[in-house]
Amino acid sequence: MRIDLHTHSTVSDGTGTPAQVMREAAEAGLDVVALTDHDAVDGWEEAAAEAESLGLRFVPGIEVSAKDRWVSIHMLALWPRPEDAALAEILALTREARVGRARTMVERIAVDYALEWEDVVTHAGDAATVGRPHIADALVARGHFARRDEVFAEVLHNSSPYYVHHYAPDVHDAVRAIRAAGGVPVFAHPAAHARGRVVPDRVIASLAEAGLAGLEVDHRDHDAEAVARLAALAERHGLIRTGSSDYHGTGKLNRLGENLTSVEAFEALEAQRG
Ligand code: AMP
Ligand code: ZN
Ligand code: FE
Ligand code: FE
């Protein structure tokens, strides 16, 4: 069984439509795949229908933006009820804040690079959630850079003078909201330090107290040392170890199925559905 629990579509900052992601998942030989767009559930219906016709098991998910003080955290929510009002409210606030934040970043970037907000709107297309990758695509289209990762390295990284924060819920509140909506919270790439600051071990301990179910241990952004540290933390706190690709289509190097979740771990997660 090949199980990949973290992917993105054009509903957020992936480059394939939800149905395309499902078709690529089938081609990659996956048996189970989750769609986890940032702060949005809009891709679920299309993905579920396509997955069903492909004989692929679909898991509805969200990658919820959150924070611990100033550290940005991504919390996967697997199987949350989309009609849950409290969770929907948090996601709506974040999506709204992301628009203002992206506009401010564009104003700052436009001082040094030819760029307009309309460029970003064009590249965001029908996305429910606007993110830095859409700004990156706009700068690439303007000919300033060749690829998304070059724009991140130069302009969009977390300590860049162009960087702007956006509202996101406290991560403990996010975990509780996901649980209250029947979802299963898994901390995404908890040690991806190349992207910015990461939380210390004690935060993972307090998140376990708050209802965290799992840790995404196996992920491209974790080196061997990070994997060892996270595997030990998962063991110590009774958290389920997952692995996934964090696929973004052609926007990143991550390939579907490059990291996988075991059947035992998947069954343990599913047993926690509320
Ligand atoms: P945002 O959600 O707007 O803060 O943007 C963060 C997103 O940008 C992450 O979820 C990644 O998908 C993407 N990202 C971060 N670093 C890179 C990179 N070096 N190349 C391409 N995409 C990236
Ligand atoms: Zn993303
Ligand atoms: Fe993430
Ligand atoms: Fe992701």
Side-chain angles (χ1 to χ4, degrees):
M1 285 278 273
R2 288 167 57 78
I3 303 168
D4 188 340
L5 298 178
H6 183 169
T7 72
H8 297 268
S9 75
T10 48
V11 164
S12 61
D13 54 11
T15 60
T17 64
Q20 278 165 359
V21 174
M22 295 302 115
R23 287 194 288 273
E24 291 171 24
E27 282 163 22
L30 297 180
D31 303 291
V32 181
V33 64
L35 182 70
T36 53
D37 276 305
H38 298 281
D39 307 307
V41 303
D42 305 49
W44 288 7
E45 223 176 278
E46 179 183 318
E50 188 69 22
E52 188 174 357
S53 74
L54 293 162
L56 188 64
R57 168 92 192 267
F58 174 68
V59 174
I62 310 166
E63 188 172 13
V64 179
S65 303
K67 61 174 172 43
D68 179 63
R69 291 181 221 178
W70 302 110
V71 182
S72 158
I73 291 176
H74 288 173
M75 187 61 61
L76 297 169
L78 304 174
W79 300 291
R81 285 184 293 272
E83 69 278 10
D84 182 89
L87 182 59
E89 171 71 12
I90 288 173
L91 299 176
L93 284 173
T94 301
R95 289 195 305 269
E96 178 68 26
R98 279 171 160 282
V99 176
R101 175 265 201 149
R103 291 185 85 116
T104 308
M105 284 190 71
V106 167
E107 279 169 24
R108 292 187 182 184
I109 293 166
V111 173
D112 297 322
Y113 299 88
L115 180 70
E116 281 168 33
W117 174 243
E118 280 310 309
D119 298 332
V120 178
V121 171
T122 301
H123 287 278
D126 295 332
T129 305
V130 180
R132 282 179 281 167
H134 300 122
I135 301 176
D137 291 347
L139 285 162
V140 169
R142 283 272 192 161
H144 299 300
F145 298 92
R147 288 187 321 276
R148 271 187 186 180
D149 56 337
E150 279 182 23
V151 195
F152 269 88
E154 292 266 331
V155 173
L156 296 175
H157 59 89
N158 294 24
S159 46
S160 155
Y162 307 111
Y163 183 80
V164 177
H165 287 277
H166 63 77
Y167 159 83
D170 171 82
V171 66
H172 296 81
D173 293 339
V175 163
R176 286 186 283 262
I178 292 164
R179 283 289 190 183
V184 180
V186 175
F187 193 156
H189 47 72
H193 50 74
R195 299 183 180 198
R197 293 175 58 195
V198 298
V199 297
D201 293 4
R202 65 176 160 70
V203 173
I204 290 174
S206 81
L207 287 172
E209 291 279 312
L212 184 66
L215 286 185
E216 191 180 54
V217 174
D218 300 292
H219 184 284
R220 169 183 283 262
D221 293 354
H222 294 159
D223 56 20
E225 194 187 326
V227 169
R229 172 188 156 234
L230 292 170
L233 276 170
E235 181 81 29
R236 184 176 327 145
H237 299 294
L239 298 167
I240 299 161
R241 172 180 182 160
T242 74
S244 36
S245 65
D246 202 355
Y247 181 63
H248 280 73
T250 57
K252 284 176 107 177
L253 296 172
N254 311 31
R255 299 293 86 186
L256 281 164
E258 68 176 29
N259 281 291
L260 297 167
T261 296
S262 72
V263 179
E264 298 71 33
F266 181 70
E267 286 173 352
L269 291 167
E270 203 180 10
Q272 293 196 28
R273 276 177 81 166

